[in-house]
Amino acid sequence: MNSIKIVAIALIAAGVLGLIYGGFSYTKDTTAVKLGPIELSVKEKETVNVPIWAGVGAIVAGGLLLVLGGKKG
């Protein structure tokens, strides 16, 4: 299996996951106040929405790479 097919499968998987879940969230640590040796940090939950067109585009691009990537000449 060459690298183009691996990238194509990864794009298709990412596109399908983007369509199923619609986004993902992560926790970000931020320093709110730093007063001498005392430091107050806050954990913020950030959410990233994946647009439908991006998921569909990743699936289409992965499919094209899978079909056309194996052809030589």
Side-chain angles (χ1 to χ4, degrees):
M1 193 177 239
N2 60 12
S3 61
I4 293 177
K5 287 186 180 181
I6 293 172
V7 170
I9 292 171
L11 274 173
I12 292 170
V16 168
L17 288 174
L19 288 177
I20 290 173
Y21 290 110
F24 61 93
S25 61
Y26 63 94
T27 304
K28 180 172 110 176
D29 288 332
T30 348
T31 302
V33 176
K34 191 171 185 180
L35 196 69
I38 300 171
E39 185 176 311
L40 178 67
S41 62
V42 178
K43 292 186 179 192
E44 297 180 43
K45 187 174 182 180
E46 300 283 334
T47 303
V48 177
N49 294 321
V50 178
I52 293 174
W53 62 265
V56 172
I59 293 170
V60 169
L64 287 174
L65 274 177
L66 200 59
V67 171
L68 301 176
K71 296 183 180 178
K72 293 184 179 182

